[in-house]
Amino acid sequence: MSGVSIKDVAARAGVSIGTVSNVLNRPSSVSEPNRVKVLEAIHTLGYVRNESARQLRVGRSRFIALVVLDLANPFFSELARGAEETAEAGGHTLLLCSSAQDVERERRHLEMLRQQRVAGIALSPVDTSEQRLAELRTLDVPLVLVDRDDPDGTTRSVSVDDVEGGRLATAHLLESGHRRIAVVGGPRGFTQVDQRFEGARRAVAAAGLPPETLVEIVVDRLDIDNGRRQGVRLAGWSPPDRPTAVFCLNDLVAIGVLQEVVQRGLKVPDDLAIVGYDDIDFAAAATVPLSSVRKPKDVLGRSAIRMLLDGTPDAENHGDLPVVHHDRQVVYLPELVVRASSGN
């Protein structure tokens, strides 16, 4: 029967509403005869407890939310897997949302989650400007930034040193003898993109080479389609002008570049060496196994949820020891995985 309330159950059983509430929440405090009458009334009327309403009344929830940038990117799927396992182990259910790299959509998700009084939110934000981070700090929900950090250290976060990741990838290509390297990524203003570009520039400067060593190619989104378009472009350059290597700021872009240049007759890595970023599962299975900067995806998810549940960072070892800046932020070090696409 729909629409049955706790008041209806109390009337049917001939007891007070408080007695029904005690049967539902503290059954040991109710006498056996009254408990039996209430349970029989519940069964007869078909009463179903409104768990969501109960949680809102007591101000807590068994739900934790993870809001990511793009569910089409396997990086975030793998991050979500680690987050879900940790949430369930802590007695919570994970709600997964995607902002699709849209700030307004992100705002709508966060407002809905705030109204539902989730126990906490792990967020990979679209915008990490000072103004946006100030807005996020006003949320009346425990918040942890994941795969991002807060430059002033106010907001708790779990992230990876993307400047170091960009440096590792570019230094590897420089050590392999490449002196004209394309760096493909975007959009500009996106924290991780800017940091990876900066890491590439630092590697060139450390090698004593001119800034022109890098050919920076900015795209509007880190996806396979943009990678394919840039693969067509790179394959179309004449050999004297064409870079001999490309560092793509994520693996989806790198896979798109790889597909197009191979289809157009270039040999990888002989004609064009390729390095990606994130080391998603597909990287090792590409036509030419893809070199990539590995980020501890599931570890990021697990650490963010632990921080929400416990209130303190719980840094896991992953390859090199994590760098813990202070008690509100954990920064992991990336690793370079070299495969056939850049030469073994």
Side-chain angles (χ1 to χ4, degrees):
M1 181 183 298
S2 62
V4 177
S5 69
I6 192 172
K7 183 177 180 180
D8 298 324
V9 173
R12 176 82 181 192
V15 299
S16 69
I17 292 175
T19 298
V20 177
S21 178
N22 284 336
V23 170
L24 294 171
N25 296 291
R26 295 174 296 278
S28 61
S29 67
V30 181
S31 68
E32 180 67 17
N34 281 343
R35 188 161 65 244
V36 170
K37 285 192 291 185
V38 169
L39 292 175
E40 287 178 346
I42 287 173
H43 177 73
T44 301
L45 296 175
Y47 172 75
V48 177
R49 183 176 188 171
N50 187 333
E51 184 68 14
S52 296
R54 186 188 72 85
Q55 289 173 354
L56 288 173
R57 285 196 299 275
V58 300
R60 58 186 170 84
S61 167
R62 293 195 182 110
F63 293 104
I64 288 178
L66 172 64
V67 183
V68 300
L69 289 169
D70 184 6
L71 281 176
N73 186 339
F75 169 81
F76 289 109
S77 301
E78 294 174 40
L79 186 152
R81 183 173 58 205
E84 183 177 39
E85 290 172 355
T86 304
E88 289 185 351
H92 289 72
T93 298
L94 187 74
L95 300 176
L96 182 59
C97 305
S98 174
S99 67
Q101 301 183 36
D102 183 324
V103 172
E104 290 307 315
R105 179 169 172 167
E106 178 186 279
R107 284 195 174 99
R108 290 194 298 272
H109 281 317
L110 293 178
E111 177 58 22
M112 178 272 293
L113 294 167
R114 185 191 67 78
Q115 291 178 10
Q116 293 298 315
R117 300 190 188 182
V118 295
I121 300 172
L123 170 68
S124 184
V126 177
D127 178 8
T128 53
S129 66
E130 184 176 341
Q131 179 180 350
R132 179 58 178 151
L133 288 174
E135 291 176 18
L136 292 173
R137 293 183 199 115
T138 66
L139 273 176
D140 189 25
V141 179
L143 177 71
V144 169
L145 302 182
V146 59
D147 199 34
R148 295 287 191 282
D149 62 4
D150 182 346
D152 71 6
T154 304
T155 309
R156 293 179 297 170
S157 66
V158 177
S159 63
V160 171
D161 187 341
D162 281 313
V163 174
E164 173 62 9
R167 189 201 67 78
L168 282 173
T170 308
H172 163 63
L173 293 171
L174 292 171
E175 290 164 5
S176 298
H178 298 283
R179 292 297 179 266
R180 185 165 167 79
I181 301 169
V183 183
V184 181
R188 285 291 173 81
F190 199 59
T191 302
Q192 291 163 308
V193 168
D194 292 345
Q195 290 177 346
R196 294 171 197 180
F197 270 122
E198 176 60 22
R201 295 185 200 107
R202 290 187 186 184
V204 168
L209 296 169
E212 294 77 23
T213 301
L214 296 181
V215 180
E216 297 187 5
I217 300 173
V218 179
V219 297
D220 61 4
R221 195 177 181 92
L222 295 173
D223 57 20
I224 288 180
D225 286 342
N226 271 307
R228 287 173 177 151
R229 281 191 282 272
Q230 297 311 316
V232 172
R233 177 181 177 185
L234 289 165
W237 285 2
S238 59
D241 299 323
R242 185 174 61 229
T244 60
V246 56
F247 168 36
C248 299
L249 300 192
N250 82 355
D251 286 341
L252 296 181
V253 174
I255 289 169
V257 169
L258 176 62
Q259 289 175 345
E260 291 297 333
V261 298
V262 169
Q263 185 175 332
R264 281 161 174 73
L266 295 187
K267 295 180 180 179
V268 176
D270 296 341
D271 297 322
L272 186 71
I274 303 174
V275 176
Y277 205 103
D278 291 338
D279 196 34
I280 61 175
D281 288 344
F282 297 145
T287 306
V288 180
L290 183 66
S291 296
S292 186
V293 176
R294 176 178 292 165
K295 297 177 69 170
K297 300 166 283 295
D298 58 336
V299 171
L300 285 170
R302 289 199 299 268
S303 294
I305 301 304
R306 284 196 188 110
M307 193 178 284
L308 281 173
L309 292 176
D310 301 336
T312 56
D314 183 10
E316 291 186 43
N317 291 340
H318 177 82
D320 293 329
L321 290 175
V323 180
V324 182
H325 282 194
H326 52 69
D327 63 352
R328 299 184 68 81
Q329 295 188 306
V330 173
V331 181
Y332 288 96
L333 297 178
E335 305 168 72
L336 177 67
V337 180
V338 178
R339 300 189 180 98
S341 70
S342 65
N344 290 313

